Amino acid sequence: MKYSICSTVYNAEKRIKESLDSILQFINPDEFEIVVVDSKSTDATPKILRDYAAKFPNFKIIEEKCTRGRGRQLAFENSQGKYIIPVDLDTIYTEKWWELIKAYEN
């Protein structure tokens, strides 16, 4: 596994699809995993995450009520990638973000 994209989320249904899609457009499915800690969201976030996990076998969901910092730590601890990339799932990522990842890798 080359990349572990790690995040924590709580009640992010309004932007999570757009955010995940913005990340997925840059990633080769054979080189990545996404690890998301859902802090027991009460909106549609868990269903959205399950939908993505059904499409991508390397999409891990951990459900645990926790702080954002603890959630990130859990995601990091449950990742297997050579490179850990923390993200926020209410952010839309652009090509500049991916260029920065590649520059760091090199």
Side-chain angles (χ1 to χ4, degrees):
M1 188 71 52
K2 191 168 189 178
Y3 304 105
S4 292
I5 298 170
C6 297
S7 189
T8 184
V9 68
Y10 179 72
N11 287 351
E13 72 177 321
K14 292 180 182 175
R15 299 268 300 200
I16 194 168
K17 286 181 186 179
E18 194 175 2
S19 181
L20 285 168
D21 289 344
S22 74
I23 292 167
L24 291 166
Q25 71 179 322
F26 299 110
I27 301 294
N28 176 339
D30 297 328
E31 296 182 331
F32 83 95
E33 68 178 348
I34 295 178
V35 183
V36 179
V37 176
D38 176 31
S39 188
K40 302 287 185 175
S41 293
T42 58
D43 64 359
T45 300
K47 182 192 179 317
I48 294 166
L49 291 173
R50 287 190 300 273
D51 290 346
Y52 277 86
K55 290 186 226 175
F56 300 98
N58 47 358
F59 195 108
K60 297 179 190 176
I61 305 165
I62 301 166
E63 293 183 9
E64 183 173 319
K65 186 72 174 167
C66 58
T67 64
R68 180 179 221 160
R70 176 67 185 136
R72 289 235 178 171
Q73 189 62 40
L74 282 170
F76 297 162
E77 290 170 1
N78 286 278
S79 67
Q80 299 175 347
K82 179 177 179 181
Y83 301 100
I84 295 177
I85 305 168
V87 298
D88 293 316
L89 293 179
D90 60 354
T91 301
I92 307 307
Y93 293 91
T94 66
E95 190 172 343
K96 293 289 184 191
W97 168 77
W98 186 243
E99 288 172 6
L100 180 65
I101 300 297
K102 298 305 282 181
Y104 177 78
E105 180 183 347
N106 293 327

